[in-house]
Amino acid sequence: MSLSRTSTVIKPNKGLLDYKINELWRYRDLLILFIKRDILTVYKQTILGPLWYIIQPALTTLMFTFVFGKMANISTDGLPHVLFYLLGITFWSYFADCLNKTSNTFVLNQAIFGKVYFPRAIVPASTVISALAKLLVQLLLFLGVWAYYLNEGVINPNWQIIFLTPLVILFFGGISLGFGMLFSSLTTKYKDLSFLLAFGVQLWMYVSPVIYPMSSIPNKYLLLIKWNPIAPLLEVLRYGFLGRGTFDLSMFAYSGFFSFLILALGYCVFTKVEQNFMDTV
Amino acid sequence: MRDYALTTKKLSKQYRLGLIGTGSLGDDLKRAWAKIRGKEDPFKLIGDSNDRTSKGNSNYVWALKDINLEVFKGEVLGIIGKNGAGKSTLLKILSRITSPSYGEVSYEGRIGSLLEVGTGFHPELTGRENIFLNGAILGMSKREVSEKLNEIIEFAGIQKYINTPVKRYSSGMIVRLGFAVAAHLEPEILIVDEVLAVGDIEFQKKCLGKMKDISRGDGRTILFVSHNLGAISTLCDRVAYLKDGELVCVGETQKVISQYLESESSRGEMYFDVDKSKIASIASIRTLNNQNCCVCDFDVSEGIDIEVEYEVQEDVRGIVLALILENDAGPLFYTFNNEAEAPIFNHQAGRYRSCYKVPKLLLKPGKYYLTLNLGMPGELLEGLSNIISFDVLEGSVDPTNLGWRRDRPGTIIHQGVWKNGRI
């Protein structure tokens, strides 16, 4: 077996532009193994196993239907409550899970990061990718409920928009990974931020159209919600699957652009911090 | 001239003492400002050497300062130094866990570090799955691991358990599996940090043997950090000696070990400030001769009393003092003070004195070092390596025809009795 004879130089404070993308590629096997590990080990030694993936959104949807739909009477654009909430919860929980998990990458993995070197970005990336398994299972639940209502003829999907779903998931993943890497980098030195993030994610849900449609927002607040890169993504899904909502290509492009930008920024800061975080964490 | 496997140039690492808070933000800003104006880092010039006994003036301390080290291809370089000398910091920089503050390291090929074995093992995964995971963490590709899978399993000696989750393994099996994966990593440069302290004797021998194979057979380079001077002297071609973050010397193994022992241990007596925050701590150690005088040179025909005083802060059970006697070749024996005729099992707060008597005509002429450990079951309270040294001299005994002369083989003087006669 021959090893690549590359010379390496370890120096202090590499510039912000040292992305180490090659190295990420060299460690692709590790990424795959981490993803496998994350998926395989979550529900080991539980009786219901992956069924938990379905129980979580199902119960939350029932609760939302009861609290927001029946008691608070918040509009769902005339769509069936269950379907409306299930769609929002499925995708929002993917986003929130990824963000919460990736945002303390350094603190959680201190033990292993302190012992061996590998590109640290592998860890949050694997978190975001392995969370797709859960999303997929939950999506199946949603599709089941969706097919039922489709059969009843209550909804009119915009079929061509549905094909944008993979792109929407990509943007969700990008935004959560970007923010997650940014926060995990900053929390190594200033721990205050982890408190901010914990309830920040909760508040974020209320400024995103998860439990209400964009159309129910008064005009004077609309601009505020529009800056939220998550809003157009949820609206696109709703427009596609449920046939109601707004589809604005420029807003959708904004989300995509934002996702790319925050991912690049997060990765930059992350690779900068990973060199010395053991000294401050 | 031989090729270098790894070189460091003025490698330095600076740490900030105290808490990270608003002060650090201020210093960060000063640094950034200096960088913007194109000036040198204002904190590069300050900082104390890492001598922890004296309180420095500055908030910054050099964990490593200006280390210029050249490691040849295919050699085993030992790194020695007391706790806090900068060994771990050096290894952390070499294995890229943290980056240097100044200076640089350059090397060819891959560095594999064994700072801890079994890093990243997941308890729920089976042995086989963990081999792949751990291998990938250490930088191996899936193909490489597959090729060596059988070898790894065989080396670890856990064929029977390979499909069992690792959480069911004994701690020894986990260590063996971890070392087996790391040993088959085959990097150009392997960094080993005291992992050999764990595992049973048989496995330790296997590890040392494997390390020798790696360096001699395959021409790979090993950096080996250990407090076990015996292992260092049998394994290493050269040794680097670190003290307070600076490189004191690099060179031939025996020479450097002797220099290390000589300069790190004091003679005859040693007193310490008692640490009141610990349950118990060592106050003093002295070596006394038959006349109860504190000396550091003994005659072979003279017994040696090693007297240790320690202070206990609260009523506690099970405090034990352990003594290790070593010479340049490694430890000679290890003994606990609860082996005494009247051991103390329950300590009340107060000061205690323990004395160990080394009988006369046991130690060959030469230089000896003492290591002291104070501990409780499962916990080391204080460990002082090679804290004090003394010499045993040939002295008044006529050494002619004696088997224990310095230049004869053997480690100790043995007083077994010969019986001779014509048959």
Side-chain angles (χ1 to χ4, degrees):
Chain A
M1 184 201 66
S2 70
L3 285 158
S4 52
R5 295 225 161 240
T6 44
S7 295
T8 314
V9 179
I10 306 172
K11 267 192 196 160
N13 276 327
K14 290 177 210 159
L16 263 182
L17 292 171
D18 185 13
Y19 294 132
K20 298 193 273 195
I21 299 284
N22 297 345
E23 208 176 50
L24 275 182
W25 176 244
R26 263 207 297 129
Y27 277 87
R28 63 192 179 277
D29 283 341
L30 181 61
L31 178 67
I32 294 164
L33 281 164
F34 270 156
I35 294 167
K36 238 165 95 180
R37 178 198 67 179
D38 289 350
I39 294 173
L40 285 178
T41 55
V42 182
Y43 289 113
K44 277 226 171 152
Q45 264 197 20
T46 61
I47 295 167
L48 294 179
L51 221 55
W52 283 110
Y53 284 150
I54 290 180
I55 296 169
Q56 283 165 4
L59 288 180
T60 317
T61 301
L62 287 182
M63 193 57 94
F64 276 21
T65 309
F66 183 66
V67 176
F68 298 117
K70 300 276 187 263
M71 284 170 73
N73 251 329
I74 294 171
S75 150
T76 55
D77 250 357
L79 292 164
H81 286 170
V82 173
L83 202 54
F84 183 90
Y85 294 129
L86 190 56
L87 181 66
I89 287 164
T90 301
F91 283 91
W92 175 262
S93 70
Y94 171 69
F95 175 73
D97 276 0
C98 288
L99 185 49
N100 278 325
K101 275 194 207 147
T102 51
S103 67
N104 47 17
T105 302
F106 283 118
V107 180
L108 271 185
N109 294 285
Q110 217 171 323
I112 179 168
F113 286 179
K115 296 296 179 195
V116 59
Y117 175 82
F118 54 86
R120 309 312 194 197
I122 298 259
V123 173
S126 78
T127 306
V128 172
I129 297 171
S130 58
L132 285 177
K134 185 175 163 188
L135 177 67
L136 224 65
V137 174
Q138 294 182 347
L139 213 51
L140 287 178
L141 171 72
F142 168 78
L143 290 176
V145 178
W146 180 66
Y148 169 77
Y149 281 104
L150 204 60
N151 198 32
E152 299 275 297
V154 205
I155 42 174
N156 295 306
N158 293 305
W159 293 99
Q160 64 276 44
I161 301 296
I162 291 180
F163 290 108
L164 283 179
T165 309
L167 210 53
V168 172
I169 295 173
L170 191 72
F171 293 168
F172 267 124
I175 297 173
S176 61
L177 184 57
F179 270 114
M181 288 201 289
L182 196 60
F183 267 93
S184 61
S185 309
L186 297 177
T187 45
T188 57
K189 208 161 184 182
Y190 306 105
K191 295 225 161 120
D192 319 43
L193 289 168
S194 58
F195 298 108
L196 176 71
L197 188 86
F199 73 88
V201 174
Q202 282 181 336
L203 294 185
W204 196 346
M205 189 184 91
Y206 291 102
V207 297
S208 307
V210 177
I211 51 169
Y212 53 83
M214 282 287 264
S215 60
S216 70
I217 303 166
N219 264 336
K220 56 178 171 178
Y221 299 123
L222 199 59
L223 205 66
L224 215 71
I225 302 286
K226 269 195 167 171
W227 283 106
N228 177 359
I230 295 300
L233 298 179
L234 287 166
E235 279 299 302
V236 165
L237 289 169
R238 214 163 269 153
Y239 183 73
F241 283 100
L242 310 182
R244 295 276 168 81
T246 45
F247 176 69
D248 183 340
L249 193 64
S250 65
M251 287 310 292
F252 186 60
Y254 160 73
S255 287
F257 181 66
F258 187 91
S259 144
F260 173 76
L261 211 68
I262 195 74
L263 192 59
L265 179 69
Y267 185 68
C268 266
V269 176
F270 190 88
T271 46
K272 182 95 180 142
V273 164
E274 72 173 21
Q275 298 170 40
N276 276 318
F277 94 100
M278 276 316 291
D279 307 339
T280 53
V281 77
Chain B
M1 209 184 77
R2 293 168 73 186
D3 280 345
Y4 293 128
L6 180 149
T7 54
T8 71
K9 256 185 248 145
K10 300 198 86 160
L11 190 70
S12 307
K13 178 83 186 175
Q14 196 178 41
Y15 279 113
R16 188 177 193 282
L17 296 179
L19 297 168
I20 292 165
T22 47
S24 58
L25 187 60
D27 285 352
D28 283 351
L29 292 175
K30 276 184 215 162
R31 261 201 195 102
W33 178 232
K35 208 171 179 182
I36 291 166
R37 289 179 302 168
K39 294 210 173 148
E40 205 173 52
D41 192 330
F43 298 99
K44 191 172 177 174
L45 302 172
I46 61 167
D48 298 308
S49 80
N50 193 14
D51 180 359
R52 289 180 292 181
T53 47
S54 66
K55 198 173 181 307
N57 315 312
S58 149
N59 259 342
Y60 288 89
V61 79
W62 292 102
L64 281 181
K65 183 139 201 203
D66 293 340
I67 305 289
N68 293 310
L69 191 61
E70 279 141 359
V71 185
F72 297 115
K73 266 191 187 140
E75 77 169 339
V76 183
L77 181 79
I79 298 172
I80 55 175
K82 280 207 288 202
N83 289 333
K87 302 182 305 271
S88 304
T89 309
L90 180 61
L91 293 198
K92 274 187 183 161
I93 292 173
L94 296 182
S95 47
R96 298 179 66 189
I97 283 153
T98 186
S99 72
S101 307
Y102 310 100
E104 63 175 57
V105 184
S106 45
Y107 60 88
E108 258 180 31
R110 275 200 301 201
I111 289 191
S113 63
L114 268 183
L115 300 194
E116 189 187 76
V117 293
T119 312
F121 272 3
H122 195 290
E124 298 283 358
L125 297 177
T126 68
R128 187 191 305 274
E129 287 166 327
N130 267 310
I131 291 176
F132 280 98
L133 183 63
N134 192 229
I137 288 175
L138 294 172
M140 280 192 262
S141 71
K142 206 173 164 183
R143 203 173 48 95
E144 276 176 78
V145 182
S146 307
E147 278 169 9
K148 296 194 187 117
L149 188 64
N150 290 330
E151 242 179 284
I152 292 173
I153 297 172
E154 196 179 319
F155 187 82
I158 52 155
Q159 291 89 332
K160 216 167 148 189
Y161 295 88
I162 198 65
N163 291 319
T164 308
V166 162
K167 65 179 174 180
R168 310 256 178 260
Y169 282 28
S170 73
S171 53
M173 282 160 69
I174 292 182
V175 171
R176 288 209 297 275
L177 184 60
F179 188 88
V181 177
H184 290 82
L185 171 60
E186 301 196 346
E188 275 73 24
I189 302 163
L190 181 69
I191 297 177
V192 186
D193 185 14
E194 299 237 69
V195 277
L196 300 175
V198 283
D200 52 33
I201 304 260
E202 194 194 344
F203 187 70
Q204 283 188 20
K205 275 189 189 156
K206 215 164 152 188
C207 297
L208 290 176
K210 180 78 189 170
M211 280 175 59
K212 269 190 178 160
D213 287 352
I214 290 174
S215 70
R216 306 266 146 79
D218 312 342
R220 291 173 208 280
T221 312
I222 298 180
L223 298 183
F224 181 44
V225 173
S226 180
H227 280 115
N228 181 348
L229 293 179
I232 292 262
S233 64
T234 48
L235 273 175
C236 300
D237 305 316
R238 291 194 312 149
V239 173
Y241 165 26
L242 288 177
K243 187 180 184 181
D244 298 334
E246 288 173 49
L247 187 63
V248 180
C249 60
V250 197
E252 195 221 318
T253 306
Q254 285 314 324
K255 253 193 199 152
V256 178
I257 288 181
S258 306
Q259 189 179 346
Y260 162 72
L261 288 171
E262 196 132 335
S263 66
E264 293 287 352
S265 46
S266 45
R267 316 269 296 157
E269 55 192 333
M270 185 98 184
Y271 297 90
F272 308 96
D273 293 329
V274 171
D275 185 351
K276 301 260 185 211
S277 65
K278 281 187 191 163
I279 297 172
S281 93
I282 293 165
S284 72
I285 174 166
R286 305 197 294 162
T287 48
L288 305 167
N289 66 8
N290 295 348
Q291 284 81 44
N292 234 9
C293 295
C294 183
V295 292
C296 53
D297 294 321
F298 296 87
D299 199 283
V300 250
S301 60
E302 204 176 18
I304 301 157
D305 288 2
I306 299 161
E307 186 191 89
V308 181
E309 288 188 12
Y310 58 98
E311 237 180 77
V312 178
Q313 303 300 338
E314 52 191 86
D315 296 359
V316 67
R317 276 179 69 88
I319 288 200
V320 180
L321 193 69
L323 197 68
I324 305 165
L325 186 80
E326 284 182 66
N327 64 10
D328 288 355
L332 287 175
F333 63 80
Y334 190 34
T335 176
F336 295 100
N337 75 336
N338 62 2
E339 291 160 3
E341 282 167 23
I344 307 172
F345 291 111
N346 295 311
H347 284 74
Q348 288 166 322
R351 202 174 170 100
Y352 291 82
R353 176 183 295 152
S354 293
C355 186
Y356 182 74
K357 286 183 182 299
V358 182
K360 64 177 184 178
L361 289 169
L362 172 75
L363 303 178
K364 275 176 74 163
K367 203 166 180 56
Y368 294 90
Y369 311 92
L370 286 167
T371 291
L372 260 187
N373 291 329
L374 187 67
M376 289 166 60
E379 191 189 355
L380 180 68
L381 295 169
E382 207 159 30
L384 305 167
S385 322
N386 303 311
I387 196 70
I388 200 166
S389 71
F390 60 86
D391 282 294
V392 173
L393 310 171
E394 278 158 7
S396 55
V397 180
D398 173 19
T400 332
N401 278 340
L402 287 176
W404 46 260
R405 259 171 40 186
R406 207 188 277 254
D407 51 354
R408 302 262 162 97
T411 341
I412 54 163
I413 303 173
H414 190 254
Q415 300 192 73
V417 183
W418 280 98
K419 272 197 174 161
N420 309 311
R422 183 156 189 262
I423 47 172

